[in-house]
Amino acid sequence: MKGIVFTEFLDLVEDKFGLEMVDYIITKSDLESEGVYTAIGTYSFSEMLQLLKHLSARTELSIDKLLLVYGEHFFSVLETSYPGLLASYKDPIEMISSIENHIHVEVRKIYPDAELPTFTVVDRSEKMLIIDYTSSRAMHHFGLGLMNKTFEHFDSTADIVLEKIKPDGTEVRFVIHKN
Amino acid sequence: MNNEIDILKRALAREKSARKSAERILEEKSRDLYRISQKLETLLAEKSAQLQGVFENIIDAYVIIGIDGDILKFNDAAKRLFEYNIDEEPINVVQLIFPEDHEYAMNSFLDLKKYGYFKNYEARVLTKSGEVKWVHINASIVYDVGRVPIAAQGIVRDITEIKNLEVQKEKLLKKLEGSNDLLQEYAHIVSHDLKSPLRSIDALVHWIKEDNQGQLDETTIQNFKLIETALEKMELLITDLLDYASIGAKDTLKEEVNLNDLMRDLQSILFIPDHIKVIMPKKMPTVIGDPIKLQQLFQNLIGNAIKFSDKTKGEINIDVIELEGYYQFSIKDNGIGIDQKFHNKIFEIFHSLNKSKSSTGIGLSIVKKIVDMHGGKIWLNSELDFGTTFYFTIEK
Ligand code: HEM
C-alpha cells in the first residue's frame, strides 16, 4: 500500500483524536515499519489493518465508519495532488465509471506497485450507476467515502446503496442514484 | 507530563526516520532516473545512427532544405547528382535551378508552403560543373512538434535519360510522319506507273481486235476476253492497295459523324439490286471519328453482303445496340456464308476467299484497320449457305 495512504491516515487521526491516539495505535500494533511512513514509500496493507483495528477498538467506531471518513478525507488529497485527472471530468457518474479504465490506469503508470481495486460497471444511465467493487482489501467504505465526495465535487448529491456480494466485503455492489 | 514528552519524542523519532527513509528512496529514484536517461541516450544514438544509415543509403537523392532555401543535408546520391560537397561549400537551392525553370520552381515552392507538399515536379537543375540535368521531385515540409515548419525534404530523381529518350522519341515520330507522307506520295506515283502499262495493254488489245475484226477464231476472242478481265482485276488490285496504304498515313479526323446521314449517302452510292432488301434501324447514333473512313467501313461490309448474296430474296439487316463505353453494330446477310475455318484469316490482307473478279481480298483488311483506328473490335458469326453477321464496335 502506498505510503501516502498511511501518512494521510495518521494525519487525520492526529487531527481528530490527537497525537496521543497516533502514538497509541502505533505502539499497540506490531509494525514492520515501526510506524515510520513516508508518502513516497510502500508498506504492507496488514499494517493499515492493525492501525484501523486498534483505532476502532479505542474509539468504539466501526472500521467501516472509519474508512468512510478517511475516504472522504482522501478525496481532498486527490483534489490537491491530481487536479489534472479530475479536471477531465464534468460529471460524477462519468468519473466513477472511468476509475477502472482511466483513473486507476494513470495511477498505475505513476506507481507501478500500487494495489488497486477492480471496478466493473454493471449498468449505467445518465442518472444511475450500478458498479461492482472487487478487492482483497475490502476497503469498500473507503470507496464509498470517495464517491460521496465525488458527487460533492460536482455540486450534486446521490443515494448510494452498498450491497455485499461476498460477506467478507471483498466483492461489493454499489447502486448509485443521482439526485 | 512525562508521558506527553515521551509521546512527542517518539513522534519526533518517527518523523526523523521517515525523513531519512524518504531521502533514501529519493536518492534511489534519482539513480534510477540517471540509469534510464543513460539508456535513453544510447538508444537515441543508436536510432540516430540507423536513421543516418537510411538517409545515406536511399538510392535516390535525398535533400533537406532550410526554410530560407539553404541546403542543410545531401545524402550520398544527392552529392553525386549535384556534385557539391555541402559540408565545405554552403549553397542555396536557387543556385541549383536552371534559369529558364526559375518561375516554375518558385511557384512550386509556393505550393509547398501552402499545402505542405508538392508532387511530380519536373524541371532542370544545374550541377556544380554546369551540367544540365532533368529531375523529378516529390517534396514535403518538415514540422516541429508544435506544427511549425522548420525545413523541407525532397526525394530527387535523375530523369535526364528518360527525358532524352522522350526527345528522341519525339524526333523519331516526326521522322516517321515524314516518311509516311513520302510513302503516300510514292504509292500514288507507283500506282500511276503501274496502271499506265495496263492501260497501254488494254489499248493494244483493243487495236489488235479492231485490226483483225472477222479474222479471229472463237478461242482467240475468248482469250482476249480473259486478258481484259485480268487487266481489270489488276487495276482493281492496285486501287485497293493504294487505299489500304493511305489509311492511317494521313491524320485521322476526329469529328462528330451522324450515321443517319452517312447511311443515306451510302444508299445512293451502293447499287442495291431489286431482289435484295436492306433493313436499317430507325435511328443510328452519332459517333466520333473520321467520316470518310467510317463510310468506307459501312460501304465495304454492306457491299460484301450484296456481292455474296445468292438467294432469290436477299436480306441485309443492319443494327446497332448501345453498350457501356461503345456502340456495337451488326450487318447480317442471308448470303453464301463463310466456312468456320476461314474466320480467323479473313481480316488478313490478300486473303480473298472468293476468287471473283470483283474481289481482291483487301476490303476486309481495310475494314479491320478502320475499326482498329476507332478503338473498336470486329468479329463475325457465319454458317455456310445460311449467311454471315459481321459485328464491330466503335468507342463512344
Ligand atoms: C483522481 C482520482 C483518483 C486517484 C488519483 C486515485 C488514486 C489511488 C491511489 C494512489 C490508491 C492507493 C493504491 C495503493 O495503496 O497501492 C487508490 C486506492 C483506491 N482507490 Fe483510487 N484514485 C482516484 C479515484 C478514486 C475514486 C473516485 C474511487 C471511488 C470509488 C477510488 C477508489 C479507490 C479504492 C476503493 C482504493 C483502495 C484500494 C482497494 O480497495 O483495493 N479511487 N486510489
Side-chain angles (χ1 to χ4, degrees):
Chain A
M1 178 158 270
K2 296 313 295 176
I4 188 155
V5 186
F6 287 90
T7 53
E8 285 300 326
F9 175 70
L10 292 176
D11 282 357
L12 186 65
V13 174
E14 186 178 341
D15 237 35
K16 301 272 181 203
F17 308 105
L19 193 55
E20 196 231 3
M21 183 66 89
V22 176
D23 188 71
Y24 172 79
I25 58 174
I26 286 176
T27 16
K28 264 284 195 185
S29 308
D30 178 19
L31 303 171
E32 201 193 325
S33 68
E34 292 172 3
V36 174
Y37 301 108
T38 144
I40 54 179
T42 306
Y43 309 91
S44 161
F45 173 67
S46 65
E47 297 196 4
M48 177 57 76
L49 264 186
Q50 289 191 62
L51 296 171
L52 279 167
K53 212 169 67 197
H54 294 299
L55 182 65
S56 168
R58 187 71 185 268
T59 58
E60 293 181 350
L61 293 167
S62 70
I63 289 188
D64 279 353
K65 173 73 187 160
L66 291 171
L67 275 174
L68 176 74
V69 175
Y70 181 40
E72 287 176 354
H73 167 75
F74 199 74
F75 191 85
S76 63
V77 179
L78 298 179
E79 273 179 317
T80 38
S81 309
Y82 309 95
L85 258 181
L86 286 169
S88 55
Y89 295 97
K90 305 178 292 293
D91 173 79
I93 290 195
E94 187 200 348
M95 175 165 154
I96 294 167
S97 311
S98 310
I99 302 168
E100 184 68 22
N101 294 326
H102 175 227
I103 297 180
H104 279 175
V105 172
E106 294 303 309
V107 171
R108 185 162 310 284
K109 286 184 197 161
I110 310 171
Y111 313 113
D113 54 354
E115 295 177 293
L116 296 162
T118 308
F119 282 101
T120 317
V121 174
V122 179
D123 195 8
R124 179 185 167 183
S125 67
E126 203 192 323
K127 295 221 142 218
M128 187 272 298
L129 176 69
I130 300 176
I131 191 167
D132 284 354
Y133 161 93
T134 314
S135 166
S136 61
R137 290 166 293 283
M139 288 172 70
H140 41 83
H141 268 71
F142 178 75
L144 182 60
L146 283 169
M147 287 180 194
N148 285 338
K149 288 289 170 182
T150 303
F151 279 92
E152 211 177 290
H153 176 79
F154 293 101
D155 289 326
S156 60
T157 54
D159 292 326
I160 303 177
V161 178
L162 195 149
E163 303 164 359
K164 281 192 183 160
I165 298 172
K166 284 194 178 158
D168 65 358
T170 53
E171 249 185 89
V172 170
R173 170 160 299 178
F174 289 90
V175 180
I176 304 165
H177 285 277
K178 190 180 167 193
N179 295 320
Chain B
M1 187 60 186
N2 249 347
N3 191 29
E4 250 173 57
I5 289 177
D6 283 347
I7 289 173
L8 282 172
K9 267 187 181 165
R10 281 199 288 275
L12 200 61
R14 282 200 305 274
E15 289 303 329
K16 219 167 153 184
S17 306
R19 199 196 74 216
K20 286 210 172 120
S21 98
E23 284 163 355
R24 207 184 50 246
I25 293 168
L26 284 178
E27 182 64 34
E28 266 167 32
K29 280 269 179 269
S30 41
R31 238 176 264 140
D32 270 359
L33 278 177
Y34 176 72
R35 266 207 315 281
I36 289 169
S37 98
Q38 289 264 296
K39 233 195 206 154
L40 282 176
E41 259 171 44
T42 336
L43 205 68
L44 190 67
E46 232 171 69
K47 291 279 162 216
S48 308
Q50 277 171 10
L51 215 61
Q52 183 73 15
V54 171
F55 177 77
E56 276 161 11
N57 290 315
I58 296 175
I59 298 174
D60 291 316
Y62 183 66
V63 177
I64 299 180
I65 299 171
I67 291 301
D68 49 9
D70 286 342
I71 307 286
L72 302 179
K73 254 175 183 286
F74 268 176
N75 71 348
D76 289 348
K79 281 180 194 158
R80 278 195 300 275
L81 176 67
F82 294 105
E83 300 159 358
Y84 282 100
N85 184 351
I86 55 154
D87 304 327
E88 285 162 17
E89 43 194 335
I91 44 165
N92 192 283
V93 70
V94 177
Q95 290 167 259
L96 300 175
I97 298 166
F98 187 67
E100 277 177 39
D101 293 340
H102 193 269
E103 197 183 323
Y104 172 57
M106 288 306 137
N107 285 334
S108 302
F109 279 126
L110 288 181
D111 273 1
L112 182 61
K113 276 194 187 146
K114 198 160 146 202
Y115 304 112
Y117 70 93
F118 67 63
K119 272 187 192 167
N120 298 331
Y121 169 93
E122 276 188 16
R124 286 156 291 184
V125 292
L126 277 172
T127 71
K128 188 179 176 185
S129 61
E131 203 183 325
V132 180
K133 283 185 176 164
W134 276 97
V135 291
H136 170 279
I137 305 178
N138 284 343
S140 60
I141 295 277
V142 181
Y143 301 94
D144 69 4
V145 275
R147 290 292 295 171
V148 178
I150 45 170
Q153 60 176 352
I155 294 206
V156 184
R157 188 165 295 172
D158 186 349
I159 54 164
T160 312
E161 266 185 40
I162 299 170
K163 277 281 170 190
N164 285 345
L165 281 177
E166 259 171 39
V167 172
Q168 261 178 33
K169 194 178 110 192
E170 206 91 328
K171 273 189 195 151
L172 270 177
L173 269 176
K174 274 252 157 59
K175 236 171 140 178
L176 195 67
E177 248 168 56
S179 23
N180 259 340
D181 287 348
L182 258 175
L183 198 69
Q184 175 75 4
E185 255 171 62
Y186 187 67
H188 269 288
I189 295 165
V190 167
S191 87
H192 179 264
D193 287 359
L194 284 176
K195 278 180 182 176
S196 60
L198 290 185
R199 293 208 183 100
S200 311
I201 296 171
D202 194 44
L204 286 171
V205 168
H206 194 68
W207 288 339
I208 294 173
K209 271 180 13 189
E210 241 173 27
D211 291 348
N212 298 290
Q213 211 157 26
Q215 289 162 306
L216 299 171
D217 60 30
E218 226 9 74
T219 330
T220 314
I221 291 172
Q222 197 57 42
N223 282 341
F224 273 127
K225 272 227 168 69
L226 286 177
I227 292 176
E228 278 164 354
T229 317
L231 286 174
E232 260 172 53
K233 174 114 192 204
M234 183 83 185
E235 174 145 2
L236 188 65
L237 195 63
I238 294 167
T239 312
D240 280 359
L241 250 185
L242 185 67
D243 272 358
Y244 184 76
S246 20
I247 295 174
K250 279 268 167 292
D251 283 343
T252 322
L253 294 175
K254 276 212 176 298
E255 56 187 58
E256 288 195 354
V257 183
N258 184 332
L259 294 180
N260 295 300
D261 299 345
L262 187 143
M263 293 312 259
R264 206 173 341 96
D265 292 349
L266 254 190
Q267 269 172 310
S268 57
I269 295 170
L270 282 166
F271 170 71
I272 304 172
D274 288 342
H275 74 284
I276 295 178
K277 204 164 83 186
V278 179
I279 302 159
M280 292 220 226
K282 281 212 174 58
K283 197 172 170 352
M284 292 283 270
T286 294
V287 296
I288 306 292
D290 187 312
I292 308 240
K293 283 172 188 149
L294 286 171
Q295 178 173 335
Q296 225 175 333
L297 167 63
F298 280 98
Q299 186 175 345
N300 265 315
L301 287 174
I302 300 171
N304 273 350
I306 294 171
K307 209 186 294 171
F308 299 115
S309 166
D310 63 346
K311 307 291 181 311
T312 42
K313 274 199 160 116
E315 200 173 284
I316 299 170
N317 242 306
I318 301 165
D319 205 359
V320 58
I321 51 173
E322 190 174 348
L323 298 170
E324 212 184 294
Y326 52 87
Y327 292 104
Q328 179 181 309
F329 298 89
S330 57
I331 291 159
K332 179 180 177 183
D333 65 51
N334 62 344
I336 60 173
I338 302 166
D339 195 330
Q340 178 82 39
K341 66 181 173 209
F342 297 118
H343 285 192
N344 286 332
K345 290 206 155 175
I346 53 167
F347 296 113
E348 286 170 22
I349 193 162
F350 298 133
H351 200 93
S352 179
L353 302 172
N354 197 296
K355 299 285 174 216
S356 81
K357 79 171 174 86
S358 54
S359 154
T360 57
I362 300 177
L364 281 177
S365 315
I366 294 177
V367 162
K368 169 136 173 55
K369 209 163 163 183
I370 295 172
V371 172
D372 283 347
M373 289 167 99
H374 288 82
K377 284 199 172 69
I378 181 160
W379 68 99
L380 74 151
N381 242 335
S382 182
E383 205 178 324
L384 217 50
D385 292 333
F386 286 96
T388 306
T389 310
F390 276 96
Y391 298 93
F392 65 90
T393 59
I394 303 266
E395 269 181 357
K396 271 186 194 167

